[in-house]
């Protein structure tokens, strides 16, 4: 009995294995194909399930978002050179250091006091005019030598070449010539030329100077030139008046 039962069980298990093995493989294949078909259907159905009206809205929203985000970025971006130039253009005499401003204004007092004193008293004093011309010659020499102090340091933007160093000697030479004239009016005219040349050098040939210093030089030169020309004009007017007064007094005699 036992051998018969063993044979029957062995044959049935073998048959079951023969029947179930390929069926299991087919079921697994069917499941994989079904899963792959389901994924394909989901991919195909998902875009179709979305309403077509949402697509252009999403595209327009993304375009608008890109448009709105790009504009502020383009506006905020500025090159550093333009910012530096805008800051320099805002500089004025108020931005000048207080010592430089006050010393420059104090240095203009002797120029203004000489013609003012002679105009108030109504007489021309050759000594006062010569003192003004002497002070102007010293100022012109100082302005010429200042270029050497600017060009000689190693880190200076100006080079110690012939253009910078030789041109700085021109104002002192004109100032020396102004002191050689016996007539103070001619010396004043020579000093006007020396101060004009120094101003041209400081503004045109040395652009690295600060903007506040250039404006200070312009206004200072204007005051010095006007005071010197006023002294020369007072000499002509007051001496002419004194000559006419002497002639009248001699005629009355």
């Amino acid at each position: 009995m036992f051998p018969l039962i063993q044979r029957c069980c062995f044959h049935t298990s073998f048959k079951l294995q023969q029947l179930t093995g390929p069926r299991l493989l087919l079921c697994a294949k069917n499941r994989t194909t079904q899963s792959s078909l389901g994924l394909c259907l989901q991919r195909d159905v998902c875009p179709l399930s979305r309403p077509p009206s949402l697509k252009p809205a999403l595209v327009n929203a993304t375009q608008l978002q890109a448009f709105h985000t790009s504009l502020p970025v383009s506006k905020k971006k500025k090159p550093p050179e333009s910012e530096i130039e805008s800051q320099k253009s805002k500089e004025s005499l108020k931005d000048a250091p207080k010592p430089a401003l006050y010393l420059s204004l104090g240095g203009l007092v002797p120029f203004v006091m000489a013609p003012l004193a002679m105009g108030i008293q109504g007489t021309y004093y050759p000594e006062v005019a010569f003192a003004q011309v002497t002070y102007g010659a010293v100022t012109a020499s100082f302005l010429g030598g200042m270029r050497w102090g600017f060009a000689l340091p190693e880190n200076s933007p100006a080079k110690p070449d012939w253009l910078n160093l030789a041109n700085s000697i021109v104002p002192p030479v004109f100032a020396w010539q102004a002191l050689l004239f016996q007539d103070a009016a001619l010396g004043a005219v020579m000093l006007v030329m020396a101060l004009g040349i120094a101003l041209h050098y400081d503004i045109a040939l040395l652009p690295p100077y600060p903007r506040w210093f250039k404006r200070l030089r312009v206004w200072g030169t204007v005051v010095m030139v006007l005071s010197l020309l006023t002294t020369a004009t007072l000499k002509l007017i007051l001496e002419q008046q004194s000559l006419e007064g002497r002639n009248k007094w001699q005629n009355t005699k």
Side-chain angles (χ1 to χ4, degrees):
M1 291 295 294
F2 182 74
L4 291 173
I5 294 167
Q6 188 176 5
R7 287 178 183 176
C8 292
C9 292
F10 178 77
H11 286 295
T12 54
S13 63
F14 180 74
K15 289 178 180 180
L16 287 171
Q17 288 178 359
Q18 287 180 351
L19 292 173
T20 56
R23 287 181 182 177
L24 290 172
L25 292 173
L26 288 172
C27 290
K29 288 181 180 180
N30 291 328
R31 286 178 183 177
T32 54
T33 53
Q34 287 177 0
S35 63
S36 62
L37 287 172
L39 291 173
C40 294
L41 288 172
Q42 286 179 0
R43 290 177 184 175
D44 296 332
V45 171
C46 286
L48 293 172
S49 63
R50 294 176 185 174
S53 61
L54 292 176
K55 291 181 181 180
L58 291 172
V59 173
N60 293 327
T62 54
Q63 289 179 355
L64 288 173
Q65 186 177 2
F67 178 75
H68 288 296
T69 53
S70 62
L71 280 176
V73 173
S74 63
K75 288 182 180 178
K76 289 181 180 179
K77 288 183 179 179
K78 289 182 180 179
E81 295 180 356
S82 63
E83 291 180 358
I84 294 170
E85 290 177 358
S86 63
Q87 289 178 358
K88 287 183 178 180
S89 62
K90 294 179 182 178
E91 292 181 357
S92 61
L93 291 178
K94 296 180 181 179
D95 300 325
K98 300 301 180 183
L101 182 61
Y102 293 152
L103 289 174
S104 299
L105 294 176
L108 297 176
V109 173
F111 284 99
V112 178
M113 290 301 295
L116 184 63
M118 289 187 289
I120 290 172
Q121 295 183 3
T123 54
Y124 174 76
Y125 296 102
E127 296 82 4
V128 176
F130 182 75
Q132 185 192 24
V133 170
T134 304
Y135 183 74
V138 174
T139 304
S141 301
F142 168 76
L143 294 174
M146 187 171 58
R147 294 174 59 83
W148 279 61
F150 184 76
L152 288 179
E154 295 181 356
N155 297 326
S156 176
K159 297 180 180 179
D161 51 6
W162 285 100
L163 181 65
N164 290 321
L165 299 183
N167 287 331
S168 63
I169 302 174
V170 176
V173 170
F174 274 80
W176 172 61
Q177 291 291 327
L179 294 175
L180 296 178
F181 288 106
Q182 294 181 356
D183 192 356
L186 296 176
V189 173
M190 185 65 70
L191 277 178
V192 168
M193 296 173 62
L195 293 172
I197 292 171
L199 180 65
H200 172 69
Y201 288 162
D202 290 340
I203 292 178
L205 297 182
L206 284 179
Y209 275 150
R211 188 175 295 274
W212 63 263
F213 179 74
K214 291 182 178 181
R215 293 185 179 181
L216 189 63
R217 286 283 293 111
V218 169
W219 287 108
T221 303
V222 169
V223 174
M224 289 186 284
V225 168
L226 289 177
S227 63
L228 289 169
L229 293 177
T230 303
T231 300
T233 305
L234 286 174
K235 179 182 181 295
L236 297 175
I237 294 172
L238 294 176
E239 283 185 350
Q240 187 68 28
Q241 288 179 357
S242 63
L243 287 174
E244 290 178 358
R246 288 176 185 176
N247 292 329
K248 288 181 181 179
W249 183 72
Q250 289 177 358
N251 291 329
T252 54
K253 288 182 177 181

